[in-house]
Amino acid sequence: DIQMTQSPSSLSASVGDRVTITCRASQSISSYLNWYQQKPGKAPKLLIYAASSLQSGVPSRFSGSGSGTDFTLTISSLQPEDFATYYCQQSYSTPGFTFGPGTKVDIK
Amino acid sequence: EVQLVESGGGLVQPGGSLRLSCAASGFTFSSYWMSWVRQAPGKGLEWVANIKQDGSEKYYVDSVKGRFTISRDNAKNSLYLQMNSLRAEDTAVYYCARSGYYLTYYYMDVWGKGTTVTVSS
């Protein structure tokens, strides 16, 4: 089974900061990597699919990069509405979609 | 509007059963793989099960194999999760999600608001 890890597990940042979250797969998953945002009490929201493709309606300050085993989600200028938990997910070894453990972004 | 609405959650005793439903609207339900994803209190997301468009293929996370059954009724635009032999560790919010795709890339692009399952005596 493919295992997903994320770092850091949490971070504190200020509005306007550039934020980078890393996701690592236990084996190569090519570009089969998705990113989700989840706010407390809400369902997850798809941000990025296929490692770097921005989902329709998602602000362009979100971007994704990477391939193989190492991936990055970047928020270029953190906004108040971006404080949330972010999850990566592999879709290489379908049909099981393994999620990473999550990275919580809160206010410094 | 594309929408998924879950129902059927509640409080159940260990060893009991529950059937979750997910009503889809605003898209051609029969064209998509569908999934159930859960989130235990204070924990991360866990994929539980998914089902092919015509119901011919079904897959489960190891922890629910033999206890949970996913099914769908394309005529009713509905997805189901039959949960038997429930355990305390099954306590979670259960989300219904659509598996969108681009070429060979799959992702969960539409989510319901979730339904809460609590397993406790």
Side-chain angles (χ1 to χ4, degrees):
Chain A
D1 291 1
I2 298 176
Q3 307 300 319
M4 308 300 293
T5 58
Q6 288 182 233
S7 61
S9 57
S10 65
L11 66 91
S12 296
S14 301
V15 172
D17 284 353
R18 180 181 182 89
V19 170
T20 299
I21 298 169
T22 297
C23 176
R24 177 165 290 174
S26 60
Q27 66 182 73
S28 177
I29 57 171
S30 185
S31 296
Y32 292 86
L33 193 283
N34 307 317
W35 289 99
Y36 300 85
Q37 175 194 65
Q38 187 181 33
K39 296 180 181 179
K42 301 295 186 180
K45 173 187 175 182
L46 177 67
L47 298 176
I48 302 284
Y49 63 93
S52 61
S53 295
L54 192 68
Q55 172 69 347
S56 176
V58 174
S60 59
R61 63 181 179 273
F62 291 93
S63 64
S65 64
S67 66
T69 60
D70 295 319
F71 302 87
T72 299
L73 174 70
T74 299
I75 309 172
S76 60
S77 178
L78 197 66
Q79 298 301 300
E81 60 268 31
D82 301 336
F83 292 98
T85 300
Y86 294 84
Y87 294 92
C88 63
Q89 176 201 49
Q90 67 84 17
S91 60
Y92 179 82
S93 65
T94 54
F97 295 84
T98 316
F99 289 93
T103 295
K104 184 177 181 180
V105 177
D106 61 20
I107 301 172
K108 181 183 288 185
Chain B
E1 179 190 6
V2 174
Q3 195 172 11
L4 297 171
V5 179
E6 303 94 336
S7 60
L11 174 64
V12 61
Q13 291 187 340
S17 298
L18 214 53
R19 188 194 195 209
L20 305 184
S21 299
C22 171
S25 59
F27 65 98
T28 305
F29 179 73
S30 59
S31 296
Y32 293 87
W33 280 79
M34 296 295 297
S35 296
W36 288 99
V37 175
R38 68 184 178 183
Q39 186 169 37
K43 303 297 184 181
L45 301 170
E46 180 182 40
W47 166 79
V48 174
N50 59 8
I51 185 169
K52 195 176 180 179
Q53 289 92 329
D54 61 0
S56 62
E57 295 181 34
K58 305 175 183 181
Y59 300 94
Y60 303 90
V61 68
D62 285 347
S63 59
V64 309
K65 283 180 182 176
R67 300 189 299 122
F68 290 11
T69 302
I70 189 172
S71 62
R72 65 192 296 164
D73 185 336
N74 288 341
K76 294 183 177 180
N77 291 332
S78 293
L79 177 72
Y80 306 101
L81 187 67
Q82 177 67 43
M83 303 185 296
N84 298 331
S85 302
L86 282 161
R87 306 166 179 167
E89 54 265 35
D90 297 318
T91 294
V93 175
Y94 284 74
Y95 295 101
C96 168
R98 184 181 83 170
S99 291
Y101 55 93
Y102 169 71
L103 300 178
T104 58
Y105 298 95
Y106 283 81
Y107 41 83
M108 296 174 180
D109 62 344
V110 180
W111 295 71
K113 293 183 177 181
T115 188
T116 300
V117 173
T118 303
V119 184
S120 175
S121 55

